Amino acid sequence: MKKITLLLALIAVTYAKAQGLNSILVAGVEDAEQFANSYLAPVSEASIYGISNGWYNTADAKPLGGFEISVILNSTGFKNKDDKKAFLLDPADYENLDFVENPGQARLVATGLGDIEGVEAFVEDDSGLFREEFELPTGLSAEDFNFVPSGYIQASVGLVKGLEVKARFLPKLKFDDAKIGLFGAGLQYDFTKMLPADKILPVAISAVIGYTNLNGEYDFTELSIIDGSDQRVEASFNTWNFSTVVSTRNIPVINFYGGIGYITGKSDIDFLGTYEANGPFFSETVVDPFSVSQNASGVSANLGTKLKLGFFRINAEYNISEFSTFTFGINFGFR
């Protein structure tokens, strides 16, 4: 289980711990869906903010034919966000799910970001003939992760005066039973390029729009405690970043930039496959039992610096938002 969680975290499919969520299905589809919504919401929100970053490292748009290819790494932190690491689970709100210790009493349990371990739950039918006990899933903090990682390759090309197009991509990667891929596109327009004296201005001002899609899949059929086939979780994250950027320019080696923007996005996580009757809370075979969605949006601001050494450049920035993100880029460019 730990191996799976660490693997998926490293490739940014942090919505998983799918085996633990799969265990909740013995309580019935409605209980499992309610738990999954609370468990996955903070992970989805952090991922939305994380993959929305890294669209620019200057406000100075590239001239016609200028290009830059970048490897961008994001670390979206949640170390001090205790309110995102746990949620209050009240058995009274569930039809069949309860705690082994102090049944009937509400208590805090881990979200996908949390570290509350060893919480035992059970489901039992009215006759007492059926009882299933299992441990509720923990989150990334329990694996000593205090951040949600993401990364991708990005390319930028200058077109007509002041306009720059961007694309980002992570080829479909597969590790054991997990898959992940990412793509996106963006535009940047440098308003100062319209001014007659733009080449001697000490600063540049741009507007940036960027769209990102992250999609992943994790097959847990072999780990499931419920009979069935093709049991898996699929996730899709779609985000938009709208920003205004200001940067210094015409300094030979190092320049500074900052921006303020608005991030908005949505995640859709689908639990798919066939789940055979395995207790009193499944009246029949269940196919594609449920989906959970999460929306997130908010204002963001960042400050960064870019070091240019010929074709080679590096940049680093810190973005302040609901989930703050540190971004580091390695860039190769011309003009």
Side-chain angles (χ1 to χ4, degrees), residues 178-190:
K179 299 177 184 178
I180 178 111
L182 179 147
F183 66 88
L187 291 173
Q188 179 170 347
Y189 188 76
D190 183 350

Side-chain angles (χ1 to χ4, degrees), residues 162-288:
L163 182 64
E164 183 178 314
V165 296
K166 304 171 183 286
R168 55 178 44 170
F169 179 66
L170 180 70
K172 201 78 172 182
L173 302 176
K174 182 175 181 179
F175 298 87
D176 295 336
D177 296 316
K179 299 177 184 178
I180 178 111
L182 179 147
F183 66 88
L187 291 173
Q188 179 170 347
Y189 188 76
D190 183 350
F191 296 105
T192 53
K193 291 290 192 291
M194 297 186 298
L195 302 176
D198 72 284
K199 294 185 182 300
I200 61 173
L201 289 175
V203 298
I205 303 174
S206 285
V208 177
I209 300 174
Y211 166 79
T212 306
N213 172 273
L214 171 70
N215 56 84
E217 178 181 333
Y218 172 51
D219 188 320
F220 53 77
T221 303
E222 295 183 1
L223 298 171
S224 179
I225 67 172
I226 299 178
D227 294 334
S229 61
D230 196 24
Q231 296 174 6
R232 67 194 189 279
V233 57
E234 293 183 358
S236 177
F237 296 78
N238 296 279
T239 76
W240 288 91
N241 184 323
F242 305 91
S243 294
T244 299
V245 192
V246 179
S247 73
T248 59
R249 55 184 296 183
N250 299 326
I251 303 175
V253 177
I254 190 169
N255 280 277
F256 302 91
Y257 62 94
I260 186 167
Y262 183 77
I263 290 172
T264 184
K266 182 183 180 182
S267 68
D268 293 293
I269 302 175
D270 303 316
F271 284 77
L272 305 174
T274 301
Y275 302 81
E276 305 289 349
N278 192 28
F281 309 120
F282 281 100
S283 59
E284 58 184 13
T285 298
V286 177
V287 179
D288 299 344

